[in-house]
Amino acid sequence: MFAYYLDLAVRSLKRNKVLTALMVLAIAVGIGASMTTLTVMHLLSGDPLPGRSGTLFYPQVDADPTNDYSHAEPLDVMDYRSAVDLWSAHRADRQTLVVDSKLKVHAPEVNLPPLMEMMLSTTSDFFPMFDVPFQYGSGWSADDDAKHARVAVISADLNNKLFGGTNSVGHTLRLRDTDVRIVGVLKPWRPSPQFYMVAGGRFANGQTDDFYTKPEDVFTPFTSGLEINDGNFWQFTCWHMPDTPGHLQNAPCVWIRLWVELGGAAKVADYRSFLAGYAAQQKALGRITHADNTRLRSLMQWLDFNHVVPSDVHLQTWLAFAFLAICLFNTVGLLLAKFLRRSGEIGVRRALGASRRAVFAQCLVEAGLIGLLGGIGGWLLTLTGLWLVRRQPSAYADLAHLDAPMFFATFVLAIMVSLLAGALPALRASRIAPALQLKTL
């Protein structure tokens, strides 16, 4: 019967091409607008490390002695001593310190002027913890961390700029005034968001674009980076001015992020106890005031806590779906007019023995076909909308691409919307009294 209903739907749509085009256009425009914003929301709010995010945690310790508990949360990042103490304890399966800064980068053997690039000073566990892909070479070892080795990993972008994309492992890179040896080159890597640097999002009035910038171009061992770019690291906040400007190891500032990997609920509970014990110990030493103000959030909990999806994306999504609802109501009116104009035809079918259910099904198949055609138009408009998003100055603009799940969601949503729009008109059409219609023929 479905094939028969489909044939009737095609014939019906061909009879009134203008009305058909209006309904298809209404659905296509609504789907295009809603799927453009929904795709952006999907890309920005997704899990940046599927399958691994549940094992990654972000510890926090409240080292600010001036905190009067006006808010219940510790500062988003750590002071040097707390971060290094926790990292040095090796109480997690893996742990890594991260801090970024900007510095001058030059390749002595390449005839190009120096570049100002972002450098991430981190530890050897960073690469396996975050599943960072390599094109050439690999990361450094824990022994390199301990020896303050002058080594570096560079991004694919920087490798293309300086070495034309060739294997640059073993070449020399000058960071500020220090030569380092390249030990690895990353593949193109674009986590969304840049989760390992997220902090302070909920305090930034929705300005979370920095979470979607590209990863740093140079990665160095944590201690080596501090020595190479000494005094040029950005502080998240300070509770009073450092005694010696530029020397942050003992400064009253928080500026370092710590991530830990914990495989299993028991290890999470043990680390949470360890974190609380460390804070209590530091309180006994008089270094911190609020020993009970510690946190250990998983990666996704940390992203949710910081509201990483920009507020304008939320607003655009709501507006787009409101516009889709308007298109839906317009389609309901057009379908109702279309079906009721065929009252005579429907009355004859009923008189010849067609049930109300059969008429209802026939009308729904026609509405579904309109939805399928609207989905094709909506898909094309979605591609156009995402192309326009990529032309915007937002940091996340280059991420706006339609992946396979959102491609299928486009057609599923279009057909669902059309079936929903066709339900009331189909119900009205199925209740047409055949006797009354036959009298008018």
Side-chain angles (χ1 to χ4, degrees), residues 153-167:
V153 169
I154 63 174
S155 69
D157 284 346
L158 185 60
N159 190 53
N160 290 334
K161 289 177 185 176
L162 297 181
F163 303 101
T166 60
N167 185 354

Side-chain angles (χ1 to χ4, degrees), residues 58-63 77-97 256-260 270-282 287-288 294-296:
Y58 190 79
Q60 294 170 268
V61 173
D62 190 356
V77 295
M78 291 191 194
D79 63 292
Y80 176 86
R81 181 172 174 183
S82 297
V84 172
D85 283 350
L86 295 172
W87 173 77
S88 301
H90 296 290
R91 296 294 294 267
D93 298 331
R94 292 188 179 109
Q95 47 273 310
T96 188
L97 300 166
I256 299 174
R257 295 159 176 82
L258 171 68
W259 287 92
V260 297
D270 287 345
Y271 197 89
R272 187 170 277 115
S273 298
F274 162 68
L275 194 63
Y278 172 78
Q281 178 195 59
Q282 295 302 304
R287 196 174 70 84
I288 67 175
T294 61
R295 300 289 187 276
L296 185 66

Side-chain angles (χ1 to χ4, degrees), residues 44 109 166 222 281 309 319 359 390 431:
L44 298 189
E109 55 196 272
T166 60
F222 179 75
Q281 178 195 59
V309 180
L319 291 176
V359 173
R390 290 195 294 273
R431 292 185 175 182

Side-chain angles (χ1 to χ4, degrees), residues 13 16 18-28 330-331 334-335 338 366 370 374:
L13 296 180
N16 196 329
V18 174
L19 187 59
T20 298
L22 286 175
M23 291 186 291
V24 170
L25 182 62
I27 292 177
N330 287 334
T331 305
L334 292 172
L335 284 172
K338 181 179 178 62
E366 186 171 337
I370 292 171

Side-chain angles (χ1 to χ4, degrees), residues 365-385:
V365 169
E366 186 171 337
L369 182 58
I370 292 171
L372 180 61
L373 296 174
I376 296 173
W379 167 60
L380 295 175
L381 290 176
T382 299
L383 293 178
T384 303

Side-chain angles (χ1 to χ4, degrees), residues 42 176 220 269 315 441:
H42 164 73
R176 205 174 176 185
T220 60
L315 178 61
L441 294 177

Side-chain angles (χ1 to χ4, degrees), residues 91-129:
R91 296 294 294 267
D93 298 331
R94 292 188 179 109
Q95 47 273 310
T96 188
L97 300 166
V98 289
V99 62
D100 62 352
S101 60
K102 202 165 191 175
L103 81 174
K104 185 171 66 174
V105 177
H106 177 58
E109 55 196 272
V110 177
N111 188 24
L112 288 174
L115 305 171
M116 289 300 294
E117 303 289 354
M118 293 299 298
M119 176 182 73
L120 190 78
S121 300
T122 184
T123 55
S124 58
D125 280 345
F126 177 90
F127 304 103
M129 274 182 67

